[in-house]
Amino acid sequence: MLLRCNVARQLLGVMGAIVLALAAVAFSAENATAQDETPAVKPAAPATSPPTARAPTGKEVVLADIATRRVAVTSTFDGSQILIFGTIDQRVIDRPTRDAYDIVIVVKGVPETLTARRKARVAGIWLNVASQTFKDVPSYYAIVSTRGLADISEPDVLSELQIGFKNVPLKLADAKGEALPKDELAAFRAAVVRLKRSEKLFQSKPQGVMFTGDNLFRATIDLPANVTVGRFETTVYLFRDGKLRSTYQAGINLEREGLEKYLHGFAFDYPFWYGIAAVILAVAAGLLASQVFGRPGK
Amino acid sequence: MTFYLPIAEMSANILLYLGMGAAVGFLSGMFGVGGGFLMTPLLIFSGIPPAVAVGTEAPQITASSVSGALAQWRRRNVDVKMGTILLCGGLVGAVIGVFVVKALREIGQFELFVSLSYVTFLGAIGTLMMIESINTIRKSQAGQSTSGRRPGQHNWVHGLPFKMRFNRSKLYISAIPPLVLGALVGILSAIMGVGGGFIMVPAMIYLLRMPTNVVVGTSLFQICFVTAATTVLHASQNQTVDIILALLLMAGGVIGAQFGATAGQRLKGEQLRFLLAGLVLLVGVRMAWDLIVTPSELFSIGAALGGH
């Protein structure tokens, strides 16, 4: 009896040491990266593209930037707010009033493949009876503008630029979808937009772009906590009289950091060892509970 | 206070999950069950994706059954030979179960299958337990003796081949029933995110005719190994084990179990079984409700898994 207690204690000690060592490595990784985050003017993550401007006629040009180009997903991540700001650089002689211009900002997340399913009642219970898979669906789609989209430009212009929930690319992933009746396909597409909006992953803020003076504008966008980690493409469109005058593109990187990065990487790159680690942790926790409380739970 | 769960990819309220772990731990300490059948539905109701709920429950049950099994071991209440046969069947069952989970997720019917399994098994076992405990309460109130099953009695199970001697349980029966029972429990454990004790314990008492004092310890022995295997399988095949969530639940559960065990000692056996039956039926009814009532949203979206 005494011998068993000693063996259990030694086992407990070894497992406790392993757990503490893992925790120390993970937390030191988190702290080290957190210190690097101070925003000195250092080159950002290699994936960030340099800002580009396109001025089709050499007249007015929109320039923009994003307050944080890199958002870290740490253990305290609970969503984030992105501030986009910019200016209209007018080189024409005639300077129309600010009201002549409209800004539309579109932020698109990582494209993903997703499946929409529809339930129906079969033998008294509700179950999934039909599905359609879409590819290249942006995991996040936010659209902020100075006015309602319908007031800014014509539907075919917006559709060509893929601006607006109606125009979000939802490509069919397989040939099966082409055989579906049009209204069913439309119902699936509408469901994707509706469900994404309810999760706050598709957002729309008409009148979300605010001007200070004639040229300086800003907009804030919410990234919810369950957004897919990766690169977000931000495009700023400048419209005048319903026509596109200029665009500007920039990127935001949402990256895992510290403990989150370590655990996610561990779970997806070494899944078997992650499972073993989970078991070791569970057994250690069980042994710890048994020793500390000393009385049988069952 | 929130923590971002690395596998569930959502931010979780730490106190909520500690509290859930403690509440279920309390009930599991009181009734002497694993608590998986209660925790997995609770996790699903609180917004954790069902596959992650099932995968994350496996290590949590390992932790709590290790604690319980050790306690029973110290009292020599474990039939290791029987337990080993059960766990061999259990490991095969766990492998089958994890692949079934993978296949169901790919065709988008996993959630339905889990709900149906819960409704079926909890409904059946809850009803049986309820009837048995009511009968026992009535008998004890009428002053009759409430004797348990006598281990020596034979039934059809004892006629099967491959007989082995189980000294601790004083049995000489075929190895087939424990293998099949273990496999069945292993499959359910992987699919439903439970330990399986609520099926194994009655089956051991009524089907295998094991003496009651060995049943709980042997069942816990099997559950430890099978849920450990399920954890590794879910992690490597489906990547659905969230270690942070599991830690939160374990921490709460261990504390809750101690209070539960103390509270449970104040009640009589048949009263506890009656309450447990009630709880089991409640969870089963809740899951059935979700299946039958017209949902507010007919559509759902999820990441596409497997091949296109």
Side-chain angles (χ1 to χ4, degrees):
Chain A
M1 200 59 171
L2 202 63
L3 185 66
R4 276 205 200 103
C5 281
N6 279 340
V7 167
R9 281 206 184 106
Q10 283 162 15
L11 204 59
L12 176 68
V14 167
M15 287 186 181
I18 295 174
V19 168
L20 284 173
L22 280 174
V25 166
F27 279 112
S28 67
E30 177 161 23
N31 283 336
T33 337
Q35 279 162 20
D36 286 346
E37 221 197 312
T38 44
V41 185
K42 59 197 258 177
T48 310
S49 61
T52 54
R54 191 186 74 190
T57 57
K59 294 196 174 147
E60 60 272 275
V61 156
V62 69
L63 304 166
D65 201 351
I66 307 164
T68 328
R69 292 213 175 238
R70 185 175 169 274
V71 179
V73 174
T74 58
S75 29
T76 50
F77 182 73
D78 194 13
S80 188
Q81 275 205 321
I82 311 283
L83 172 66
I84 302 168
F85 56 93
T87 182
I88 307 173
D89 191 11
Q90 289 164 326
R91 299 168 193 177
V92 291
I93 312 290
D94 72 323
R95 298 175 71 86
T97 63
R98 184 239 292 177
D99 293 337
Y101 288 107
D102 283 305
I103 301 271
V104 177
I105 304 177
V106 173
V107 181
K108 279 199 211 167
V110 177
E112 62 186 12
T113 308
L114 63 78
T115 308
R117 301 181 198 280
R118 178 171 58 82
K119 285 196 171 80
R121 184 175 249 158
V122 173
I125 57 174
W126 288 88
L127 46 103
N128 290 322
V129 295
S131 73
Q132 179 56 47
T133 307
F134 297 100
K135 62 178 183 187
D136 292 339
V137 180
S139 55
Y140 176 83
Y141 186 89
I143 177 158
V144 192
S145 48
T146 40
R147 291 189 290 165
L149 289 178
D151 300 326
I152 294 181
S153 186
E154 300 297 311
D156 42 330
V157 175
L158 293 173
S159 140
E160 199 192 309
L161 295 166
Q162 290 182 351
I163 296 176
F165 289 144
K166 286 197 278 279
N167 303 317
V168 172
L170 288 172
K171 294 189 217 145
L172 297 171
D174 48 47
K176 181 177 77 156
E178 283 152 39
L180 274 181
K182 274 203 142 162
D183 48 344
E184 241 198 275
L185 192 57
F188 275 120
R189 287 207 162 102
V192 171
V193 173
R194 184 175 63 240
L195 288 166
K196 284 280 205 182
R197 287 190 81 170
S198 69
E199 287 178 60
K200 307 257 191 296
L201 289 172
F202 275 25
Q203 294 178 12
S204 159
K205 275 203 230 171
Q207 285 142 22
V209 177
M210 286 170 295
F211 269 93
T212 308
D214 274 347
N215 302 332
L216 183 64
F217 64 84
R218 59 175 273 160
T220 17
I221 292 191
D222 295 315
L223 282 184
N226 57 338
V227 75
T228 307
V229 171
R231 183 176 168 75
F232 291 71
E233 291 294 346
T234 308
T235 316
V236 182
Y237 300 91
L238 178 69
F239 285 90
R240 180 176 161 190
D241 301 328
K243 291 206 200 53
L244 181 69
R245 305 295 279 185
S246 171
T247 64
Y248 197 89
Q249 272 191 307
I252 309 168
N253 280 320
L254 190 68
E255 287 170 0
R256 287 191 187 92
E257 198 168 80
L259 182 66
E260 299 295 336
K261 184 172 176 182
Y262 173 72
L263 285 176
H264 189 88
F266 191 15
F268 283 85
D269 296 334
Y270 304 101
F272 177 75
W273 296 107
Y274 177 85
I276 300 280
V279 168
I280 292 177
L281 213 62
V283 171
L287 288 175
L288 185 69
S290 172
Q291 291 287 1
V292 166
F293 292 105
R295 84 169 304 284
K298 317 275 178 275
Chain B
M1 225 178 29
T2 62
F3 199 102
Y4 188 77
L5 302 176
I7 308 299
E9 292 194 329
M10 46 182 277
S11 107
N13 186 330
I14 293 182
L15 291 175
L16 172 68
Y17 290 100
L18 276 177
M20 244 198 244
V24 174
F26 181 86
L27 291 170
S28 90
M30 186 153 89
F31 298 120
V33 291
F37 71 91
L38 197 54
M39 183 62 92
T40 307
L42 270 180
L43 286 177
I44 296 177
F45 295 149
S46 82
I48 308 277
V52 175
V54 166
T56 306
E57 252 313 273
Q60 203 245 340
I61 297 172
T62 310
S64 49
S65 47
V66 158
S67 169
L70 205 63
Q72 295 289 349
W73 174 279
R74 289 193 190 120
R75 294 190 195 145
R76 301 190 168 281
N77 280 342
V78 179
D79 181 346
V80 182
K81 198 168 179 186
M82 178 68 84
T84 310
I85 306 266
L86 281 168
L87 84 89
C88 286
L91 291 175
V92 172
V95 170
I96 297 174
V98 169
F99 281 102
V100 168
V101 169
K102 191 171 185 178
L104 285 171
R105 283 181 82 206
E106 280 172 19
I107 62 169
Q109 300 293 4
F110 176 67
E111 214 178 317
L112 170 72
F113 201 79
V114 169
S115 301
L116 280 176
S117 312
Y118 265 95
V119 170
T120 317
F121 285 96
L122 295 188
I125 290 175
T127 312
L128 288 172
M129 254 204 284
M130 179 71 75
I131 296 174
E132 189 265 339
S133 61
I134 290 178
N135 282 341
T136 318
I137 291 178
R138 275 217 224 112
K139 268 201 223 159
S140 70
Q141 279 177 345
Q144 293 167 357
S145 70
T146 56
S147 60
R149 300 246 162 264
R150 291 192 298 283
Q153 284 184 329
H154 281 205
N155 57 15
W156 63 272
V157 162
H158 292 252
L160 294 169
F162 298 112
K163 290 200 184 204
M164 291 173 73
R165 219 166 268 285
F166 298 98
N167 290 326
R168 183 70 192 80
S169 307
K170 303 187 184 61
L171 281 178
Y172 178 60
I173 67 163
S174 155
I176 294 178
L179 269 175
V180 171
L181 174 64
L184 180 70
V185 167
I187 295 176
L188 288 177
S189 164
I191 295 176
M192 291 168 67
V194 295
F198 65 96
I199 298 179
M200 249 195 309
V201 166
M204 282 159 119
I205 296 177
Y206 296 109
L207 213 60
L208 300 177
R209 306 266 186 221
M210 288 169 67
T212 23
N213 60 351
V214 184
V215 161
V216 172
T218 313
S219 139
L220 285 171
F221 177 82
Q222 196 259 18
I223 292 173
C224 281
F225 288 97
V226 173
T227 48
T230 310
T231 304
V232 176
L233 286 166
H234 271 305
S236 51
Q237 289 302 315
N238 299 321
Q239 287 93 49
T240 48
V241 177
D242 193 311
I243 215 166
I244 300 289
L245 183 57
L247 273 172
L248 285 175
L249 296 173
M250 277 186 228
V254 149
I255 298 172
Q258 296 307 313
F259 289 101
T262 325
Q265 293 198 310
R266 301 210 191 119
L267 291 170
K268 280 193 276 184
E270 54 271 16
Q271 285 173 326
L272 279 177
R273 285 200 300 279
F274 178 75
L275 285 175
L276 180 60
L279 190 60
V280 167
L281 282 174
L282 205 66
V283 177
V285 165
R286 175 67 172 87
M287 292 219 118
W289 179 264
D290 274 346
L291 279 176
I292 295 174
V293 164
T294 310
S296 54
E297 172 64 69
L298 288 182
F299 288 86
S300 61
I301 53 173
L305 296 161
H308 300 286

